[in-house]
Amino acid sequence: MKKNLFTVLFLSTLSISFFSCKEKAKEATTSEAEQVIETPSGVSYTTNLSASTIEWKGYKPTGSHYGTIDIKEGDLSLVDSKISGGSFVIDMTSLKDAEGSAKLEGHLKSADFFEVETYPTSTFEITSLKDENGKAMLSGNLTLKGTTNNVTFPVSVTHEGETLTLVSDMFTIDRSKWNVKYGSKSFFDDLGDKFINDDIELKVTVKATKS
């Protein structure tokens, strides 16, 4: 069962990678962390962890790598059938390379990149969901490696029965804004062609069930 699930995720990521070669994903609007506004208590939905995931892709001059990260826990709140809040815990220790490279996974988990021994989890806390030009734009405070910024990116939300599904468009974040420095031209001037792009492509899929 796990093997079949991984195969689906792998093929899905391949199709996303093919798309990305044609059209570069847009960078999420990034700003200082925002205060989470208290909203009236609504209907609570709990994240279905086995059906939720974060897909990632990173670039360097000689190619790219891609894989997945698991969501450890999360919830969403609805008021008048609209998302009014929610938060997620991201399990950074679950970071996987789609090609199964233990060396790459170990490097990404090391202090060079996400330092998972010190920061085993990241968090995303929703601050707003607004409609802009007919597109739902989700904003939230993303805490990664001890640094918090607010990011905004487009999502699609569907509600069927007691199941809520939130899927983001492919978007990018600039890792240098979270002090992930290894191989970054934002911090080092003498890298030549040995640099690694600051942009990390992400796609978030969350399925949640009425609590």
Side-chain angles (χ1 to χ4, degrees), residues 27-34 123-129 137-144 147-155 171-174 177-178 202 204:
E27 182 177 348
T29 302
T30 305
S31 59
E32 293 184 0
E34 296 182 4
T123 59
F124 181 79
E125 191 170 20
I126 294 172
T127 55
S128 69
L129 179 64
M137 301 297 292
L138 183 70
S139 297
N141 292 331
L142 175 62
T143 301
L144 180 64
T147 299
T148 304
N149 290 298
N150 192 271
V151 294
T152 301
F153 50 89
V155 297
F171 65 96
T172 70
I173 60 170
D174 179 349
K177 294 177 180 179
W178 283 266
L202 299 172
V204 180

Short mmCIF file of all heavy atoms in Angstrom, two decimals, residues 27-34 123-129 137-144 147-155 171-174 177-178 202 204:
data_model
loop_
_atom_site.label_atom_id
_atom_site.label_comp_id
_atom_site.label_asym_id
_atom_site.label_seq_id
_atom_site.Cartn_x
_atom_site.Cartn_y
_atom_site.Cartn_z
N GLU A 27 6.41 33.22 -7.45
CA GLU A 27 6.86 33.27 -6.06
C GLU A 27 5.72 33.76 -5.17
O GLU A 27 4.98 34.70 -5.52
CB GLU A 27 8.06 34.20 -5.91
CG GLU A 27 8.60 34.25 -4.48
CD GLU A 27 9.84 35.11 -4.34
OE1 GLU A 27 10.43 35.49 -5.36
OE2 GLU A 27 10.21 35.40 -3.18
N ALA A 28 5.55 33.11 -4.03
CA ALA A 28 4.56 33.55 -3.06
C ALA A 28 4.92 34.95 -2.56
O ALA A 28 6.09 35.26 -2.36
CB ALA A 28 4.50 32.58 -1.89
N THR A 29 3.93 35.79 -2.42
CA THR A 29 4.16 37.10 -1.81
C THR A 29 4.62 36.89 -0.38
O THR A 29 3.97 36.19 0.39
CB THR A 29 2.87 37.95 -1.83
OG1 THR A 29 2.42 38.08 -3.18
CG2 THR A 29 3.12 39.31 -1.22
N THR A 30 5.77 37.45 -0.03
CA THR A 30 6.36 37.22 1.29
C THR A 30 6.53 38.55 2.01
O THR A 30 7.01 39.52 1.44
CB THR A 30 7.73 36.54 1.15
OG1 THR A 30 7.59 35.34 0.38
CG2 THR A 30 8.31 36.18 2.51
N SER A 31 6.10 38.56 3.27
CA SER A 31 6.20 39.77 4.07
C SER A 31 6.47 39.38 5.52
O SER A 31 6.59 38.19 5.84
CB SER A 31 4.90 40.59 3.97
OG SER A 31 3.80 39.82 4.42
N GLU A 32 6.54 40.38 6.40
CA GLU A 32 6.76 40.09 7.81
C GLU A 32 5.57 39.31 8.37
O GLU A 32 4.45 39.40 7.86
CB GLU A 32 6.95 41.39 8.60
CG GLU A 32 8.24 42.13 8.25
CD GLU A 32 8.43 43.36 9.11
OE1 GLU A 32 7.56 43.63 9.96
OE2 GLU A 32 9.44 44.06 8.92
N ALA A 33 5.83 38.56 9.44
CA ALA A 33 4.77 37.79 10.08
C ALA A 33 3.61 38.70 10.48
O ALA A 33 3.81 39.84 10.88
CB ALA A 33 5.31 37.05 11.29
N GLU A 34 2.39 38.18 10.34
CA GLU A 34 1.20 38.94 10.68
C GLU A 34 0.52 38.35 11.92
O GLU A 34 0.66 37.15 12.20
CB GLU A 34 0.21 38.94 9.51
CG GLU A 34 0.75 39.63 8.27
CD GLU A 34 -0.27 39.66 7.15
OE1 GLU A 34 -1.42 39.21 7.38
OE2 GLU A 34 0.07 40.12 6.04
N THR A 123 5.92 25.16 10.93
CA THR A 123 4.49 25.40 11.12
C THR A 123 3.96 26.39 10.09
O THR A 123 4.70 27.24 9.58
CB THR A 123 4.18 25.95 12.53
OG1 THR A 123 4.90 27.17 12.73
CG2 THR A 123 4.58 24.94 13.60
N PHE A 124 2.68 26.27 9.81
CA PHE A 124 1.98 27.23 8.95
C PHE A 124 0.66 27.57 9.62
O PHE A 124 -0.15 26.68 9.90
CB PHE A 124 1.73 26.66 7.56
CG PHE A 124 1.03 27.62 6.63
CD1 PHE A 124 1.74 28.63 6.01
CD2 PHE A 124 -0.33 27.51 6.39
CE1 PHE A 124 1.11 29.53 5.15
CE2 PHE A 124 -0.97 28.40 5.54
CZ PHE A 124 -0.25 29.41 4.92
N GLU A 125 0.46 28.85 9.93
CA GLU A 125 -0.74 29.29 10.62
C GLU A 125 -1.49 30.30 9.74
O GLU A 125 -0.94 31.34 9.38
CB GLU A 125 -0.38 29.92 11.97
CG GLU A 125 -1.56 30.18 12.86
CD GLU A 125 -1.14 30.56 14.27
OE1 GLU A 125 0.02 30.99 14.46
OE2 GLU A 125 -1.97 30.43 15.18
N ILE A 126 -2.70 29.96 9.38
CA ILE A 126 -3.49 30.78 8.46
C ILE A 126 -3.82 32.14 9.09
O ILE A 126 -4.25 32.21 10.23
CB ILE A 126 -4.78 30.05 8.05
CG1 ILE A 126 -4.45 28.82 7.22
CG2 ILE A 126 -5.71 30.99 7.26
CD1 ILE A 126 -5.64 27.92 6.92
N THR A 127 -3.61 33.20 8.31
CA THR A 127 -3.98 34.55 8.75
C THR A 127 -5.15 35.11 7.96
O THR A 127 -5.87 35.98 8.45
CB THR A 127 -2.78 35.51 8.66
OG1 THR A 127 -2.25 35.50 7.32
CG2 THR A 127 -1.68 35.10 9.64
N SER A 128 -5.35 34.64 6.73
CA SER A 128 -6.51 35.10 5.95
C SER A 128 -6.69 34.24 4.69
O SER A 128 -5.76 33.59 4.22
CB SER A 128 -6.37 36.57 5.54
OG SER A 128 -5.33 36.73 4.57
N LEU A 129 -7.90 34.25 4.18
CA LEU A 129 -8.21 33.67 2.87
C LEU A 129 -9.12 34.66 2.17
O LEU A 129 -10.25 34.90 2.58
CB LEU A 129 -8.91 32.32 3.01
CG LEU A 129 -9.31 31.63 1.69
CD1 LEU A 129 -8.05 31.28 0.88
CD2 LEU A 129 -10.13 30.37 1.95
N MET A 137 -6.85 33.41 -2.42
CA MET A 137 -5.47 33.64 -2.03
C MET A 137 -5.35 33.38 -0.53
O MET A 137 -5.95 34.08 0.29
CB MET A 137 -5.04 35.06 -2.36
CG MET A 137 -5.17 35.42 -3.84
SD MET A 137 -4.11 34.41 -4.91
CE MET A 137 -2.48 35.00 -4.41
N LEU A 138 -4.55 32.38 -0.19
CA LEU A 138 -4.35 31.99 1.20
C LEU A 138 -3.09 32.64 1.75
O LEU A 138 -2.03 32.57 1.13
CB LEU A 138 -4.23 30.47 1.29
CG LEU A 138 -4.08 29.89 2.70
CD1 LEU A 138 -5.39 30.03 3.48
CD2 LEU A 138 -3.67 28.41 2.63
N SER A 139 -3.20 33.25 2.93
CA SER A 139 -2.05 33.85 3.59
C SER A 139 -1.84 33.18 4.94
O SER A 139 -2.81 32.81 5.62
CB SER A 139 -2.26 35.36 3.82
OG SER A 139 -2.39 36.05 2.60
N GLY A 140 -0.58 33.03 5.32
CA GLY A 140 -0.30 32.44 6.62
C GLY A 140 1.14 32.65 7.03
O GLY A 140 2.02 32.95 6.20
N ASN A 141 1.39 32.52 8.32
CA ASN A 141 2.74 32.65 8.86
C ASN A 141 3.45 31.30 8.75
O ASN A 141 3.02 30.33 9.37
CB ASN A 141 2.69 33.09 10.32
CG ASN A 141 2.18 34.51 10.49
OD1 ASN A 141 2.35 35.35 9.61
ND2 ASN A 141 1.53 34.79 11.61
N LEU A 142 4.50 31.27 7.95
CA LEU A 142 5.31 30.07 7.78
C LEU A 142 6.57 30.20 8.63
O LEU A 142 7.38 31.10 8.41
CB LEU A 142 5.69 29.87 6.31
CG LEU A 142 6.66 28.70 6.01
CD1 LEU A 142 6.04 27.37 6.40
CD2 LEU A 142 7.06 28.70 4.53
N THR A 143 6.70 29.31 9.60
CA THR A 143 7.90 29.28 10.43
C THR A 143 8.76 28.11 10.00
O THR A 143 8.34 26.96 10.03
CB THR A 143 7.54 29.13 11.92
OG1 THR A 143 6.73 30.23 12.32
CG2 THR A 143 8.79 29.11 12.78
N LEU A 144 9.95 28.44 9.54
CA LEU A 144 10.88 27.45 9.01
C LEU A 144 12.27 27.74 9.57
O LEU A 144 12.75 28.87 9.48
CB LEU A 144 10.89 27.54 7.48
CG LEU A 144 11.78 26.60 6.69
CD1 LEU A 144 11.35 25.15 6.87
CD2 LEU A 144 11.75 26.97 5.21
N THR A 147 12.60 30.86 11.76
CA THR A 147 12.30 32.18 11.20
C THR A 147 10.88 32.17 10.66
O THR A 147 10.45 31.21 10.03
CB THR A 147 13.28 32.53 10.07
OG1 THR A 147 14.61 32.56 10.60
CG2 THR A 147 12.96 33.88 9.45
N THR A 148 10.14 33.26 10.91
CA THR A 148 8.74 33.34 10.48
C THR A 148 8.54 34.48 9.50
O THR A 148 8.96 35.62 9.73
CB THR A 148 7.81 33.55 11.68
OG1 THR A 148 8.01 32.50 12.64
CG2 THR A 148 6.35 33.54 11.24
N ASN A 149 7.90 34.16 8.37
CA ASN A 149 7.46 35.15 7.39
C ASN A 149 6.02 34.81 7.00
O ASN A 149 5.60 33.65 7.08
CB ASN A 149 8.32 35.13 6.13
CG ASN A 149 9.72 35.67 6.37
OD1 ASN A 149 9.91 36.81 6.72
ND2 ASN A 149 10.71 34.81 6.18
N ASN A 150 5.30 35.82 6.56
CA ASN A 150 3.95 35.59 6.04
C ASN A 150 4.02 35.39 4.54
O ASN A 150 4.68 36.16 3.83
CB ASN A 150 3.05 36.78 6.38
CG ASN A 150 1.57 36.47 6.12
OD1 ASN A 150 1.07 36.68 5.02
ND2 ASN A 150 0.90 35.98 7.14
N VAL A 151 3.37 34.35 4.05
CA VAL A 151 3.37 34.06 2.62
C VAL A 151 1.93 33.99 2.11
O VAL A 151 1.03 33.58 2.83
CB VAL A 151 4.11 32.74 2.29
CG1 VAL A 151 5.58 32.87 2.60
CG2 VAL A 151 3.51 31.57 3.05
N THR A 152 1.75 34.39 0.86
CA THR A 152 0.43 34.37 0.22
C THR A 152 0.54 33.67 -1.12
O THR A 152 1.41 33.99 -1.93
CB THR A 152 -0.10 35.80 0.01
OG1 THR A 152 -0.19 36.47 1.28
CG2 THR A 152 -1.47 35.79 -0.63
N PHE A 153 -0.35 32.70 -1.36
CA PHE A 153 -0.31 31.94 -2.60
C PHE A 153 -1.72 31.48 -2.96
O PHE A 153 -2.61 31.38 -2.10
CB PHE A 153 0.63 30.74 -2.47
CG PHE A 153 0.40 29.89 -1.25
CD1 PHE A 153 -0.49 28.83 -1.28
CD2 PHE A 153 1.08 30.16 -0.06
CE1 PHE A 153 -0.71 28.05 -0.16
CE2 PHE A 153 0.87 29.38 1.07
CZ PHE A 153 -0.03 28.33 1.02
N PRO A 154 -1.97 31.18 -4.25
CA PRO A 154 -3.32 30.80 -4.70
C PRO A 154 -3.65 29.35 -4.35
O PRO A 154 -2.80 28.47 -4.40
CB PRO A 154 -3.26 31.00 -6.22
CG PRO A 154 -1.82 30.88 -6.57
CD PRO A 154 -1.04 31.37 -5.39
N VAL A 155 -4.92 29.13 -3.99
CA VAL A 155 -5.39 27.79 -3.65
C VAL A 155 -6.77 27.55 -4.26
O VAL A 155 -7.49 28.49 -4.63
CB VAL A 155 -5.49 27.60 -2.12
CG1 VAL A 155 -4.12 27.72 -1.46
CG2 VAL A 155 -6.48 28.58 -1.49
N PHE A 171 3.79 27.04 -6.34
CA PHE A 171 4.33 28.36 -6.04
C PHE A 171 5.76 28.19 -5.53
O PHE A 171 6.20 27.07 -5.25
CB PHE A 171 3.47 29.11 -5.02
CG PHE A 171 3.44 28.48 -3.65
CD1 PHE A 171 4.28 28.90 -2.63
CD2 PHE A 171 2.55 27.45 -3.37
CE1 PHE A 171 4.25 28.31 -1.37
CE2 PHE A 171 2.50 26.85 -2.10
CZ PHE A 171 3.36 27.29 -1.12
N THR A 172 6.49 29.28 -5.41
CA THR A 172 7.86 29.20 -4.90
C THR A 172 8.01 30.07 -3.66
O THR A 172 7.30 31.06 -3.49
CB THR A 172 8.91 29.64 -5.94
OG1 THR A 172 8.82 31.05 -6.15
CG2 THR A 172 8.73 28.91 -7.26
N ILE A 173 8.94 29.66 -2.80
CA ILE A 173 9.40 30.54 -1.72
C ILE A 173 10.90 30.73 -1.89
O ILE A 173 11.59 29.87 -2.44
CB ILE A 173 9.08 29.98 -0.33
CG1 ILE A 173 9.77 28.62 -0.10
CG2 ILE A 173 7.58 29.87 -0.11
CD1 ILE A 173 9.70 28.12 1.35
N ASP A 174 11.39 31.86 -1.42
CA ASP A 174 12.82 32.18 -1.47
C ASP A 174 13.44 31.72 -0.15
O ASP A 174 13.25 32.36 0.88
CB ASP A 174 12.99 33.68 -1.68
CG ASP A 174 14.45 34.12 -1.72
OD1 ASP A 174 15.34 33.30 -1.37
OD2 ASP A 174 14.71 35.28 -2.06
N LYS A 177 15.12 33.89 2.66
CA LYS A 177 14.34 34.69 3.59
C LYS A 177 14.10 33.93 4.91
O LYS A 177 13.64 34.52 5.88
CB LYS A 177 13.02 35.11 2.95
CG LYS A 177 13.22 36.06 1.78
CD LYS A 177 11.92 36.42 1.11
CE LYS A 177 12.18 37.37 -0.07
NZ LYS A 177 10.92 37.73 -0.78
N TRP A 178 14.40 32.64 4.89
CA TRP A 178 14.32 31.83 6.12
C TRP A 178 15.73 31.38 6.55
O TRP A 178 15.88 30.41 7.28
CB TRP A 178 13.43 30.61 5.89
CG TRP A 178 11.96 30.95 5.92
CD1 TRP A 178 11.12 30.87 7.00
CD2 TRP A 178 11.16 31.42 4.83
NE1 TRP A 178 9.86 31.26 6.66
CE2 TRP A 178 9.84 31.60 5.33
CE3 TRP A 178 11.42 31.70 3.49
CZ2 TRP A 178 8.80 32.05 4.52
CZ3 TRP A 178 10.39 32.16 2.69
CH2 TRP A 178 9.10 32.33 3.21
N LEU A 202 6.85 24.60 -4.38
CA LEU A 202 6.02 23.84 -3.45
C LEU A 202 4.61 23.67 -4.00
O LEU A 202 4.10 24.55 -4.70
CB LEU A 202 5.94 24.56 -2.09
CG LEU A 202 7.24 24.78 -1.33
CD1 LEU A 202 6.99 25.67 -0.13
CD2 LEU A 202 7.85 23.46 -0.89
N VAL A 204 0.97 22.26 -2.10
CA VAL A 204 0.39 21.75 -0.85
C VAL A 204 -0.97 21.13 -1.14
O VAL A 204 -1.82 21.74 -1.80
CB VAL A 204 0.23 22.89 0.18
CG1 VAL A 204 -0.39 22.35 1.47
CG2 VAL A 204 1.56 23.57 0.44
#
